[in-house]
Amino acid sequence: MKEFVIEASTGRAFTLKKGQKIKVIDLEGRQVADFLAFNETDPSERLSTAATIDANGSLRLQPDDFLFSNYYREMLKVVSDTVGRHDLLHPACSQAMYGWQYQISTPHPNCRDNLAEALKPYGLVEIEIPTPFNIFMNTLISPEGAVRVEEPVSRPGDFIELEARMDLIVALAACSVEESKCNGFRCTPVKVQIYA
């Protein structure tokens, strides 16, 4: 088994081979992890949250559901999940988002830049970061369609386990938002385990 920690407000990329499993663990609780995946052979095929919503017919993923690519192919299978509340709607936080949402004009750690930097060694340079699968993010939608983000319900040790359905390049960021309920006003690390 390979195991490593992604420190708060940082990102990391790595490969995941077909059949391998990845477990993303919330070490301290209430921490979002932005997750991207690309077909290792053809990175133009990438995780699509829109296709995932469409193919599963739901905004909520359950065990045995799949994360789909922009070509509507199965990229990852949800094996187990102790939280059951994640987000498929929100873009990665970015410098522009901090300016708009929080009027922060000075440089701020952000998932978009962290993910982009992590992917450079894999030849994915100047890539447009797609909407990530926001693990542990607690997004609520009212009957009228209003969208709000509440504190994650994940607690220390909670996890989601996924199985790769193809060889992948994966990028993961421990979200940098400490200005709102998104991470419970505090950014913390996440642990990753990869195994056969």
Side-chain angles (χ1 to χ4, degrees):
M1 180 176 69
K2 183 178 181 181
E3 180 177 278
F4 52 87
V5 171
I6 299 175
E7 297 297 339
S9 302
T10 69
R12 182 165 175 169
F14 46 92
T15 57
L16 191 67
K17 297 303 182 182
K18 182 178 180 180
Q20 283 188 313
K21 294 179 182 176
I22 178 173
K23 184 181 285 187
V24 181
I25 304 165
D26 191 346
L27 287 175
E28 299 183 30
R30 300 186 303 179
Q31 175 62 46
V32 172
D34 290 36
F35 181 97
L36 300 177
F38 301 81
N39 181 330
E40 187 178 18
T41 304
D42 176 13
S44 69
E45 182 174 20
R46 58 194 62 181
L47 174 64
S48 167
T49 57
T52 297
I53 293 167
D54 189 27
N56 287 294
S58 177
L59 290 168
R60 297 271 176 89
L61 295 178
Q62 307 290 332
D64 295 327
D65 284 345
F66 295 94
L67 292 162
F68 284 83
S69 77
N70 52 321
Y71 299 157
Y72 279 76
R73 297 204 305 154
E74 297 169 359
M75 297 195 88
L76 298 120
K77 180 181 179 179
V78 180
V79 177
S80 58
D81 182 3
T82 63
V83 179
R85 187 69 63 86
H86 313 281
D87 172 80
L88 292 163
L89 296 176
H90 285 86
C93 65
S94 63
Q95 194 64 51
M97 184 279 289
Y98 284 104
W100 173 257
Q101 295 276 28
Y102 307 112
Q103 294 73 56
I104 296 174
S105 57
T106 54
H108 192 296
N110 65 85
C111 290
R112 188 199 178 285
D113 289 347
N114 288 339
L115 292 166
E117 187 66 27
L119 287 165
K120 284 181 180 179
Y122 295 91
L124 301 176
V125 181
E126 298 300 324
I127 181 176
E128 179 57 36
I129 298 299
T131 300
F133 173 41
N134 296 302
I135 296 170
F136 308 132
M137 188 171 182
N138 185 14
T139 300
L140 301 180
I141 303 172
S142 76
E144 294 76 30
V147 178
R148 74 178 192 275
V149 176
E150 295 290 341
E151 287 190 1
V153 298
S154 55
R155 295 296 175 254
D158 275 335
F159 65 86
I160 186 169
E161 182 185 28
L162 307 169
E163 180 182 347
R165 308 287 284 187
M166 62 178 71
D167 291 348
L168 299 171
I169 300 167
V170 170
L172 195 63
C175 184
S176 306
V177 177
E178 59 185 2
E179 291 78 11
S180 75
K181 293 181 180 180
C182 181
N183 296 303
F185 298 97
R186 177 172 171 261
C187 296
T188 57
V190 295
K191 181 186 283 187
V192 173
Q193 294 177 340
I194 299 172
Y195 43 93

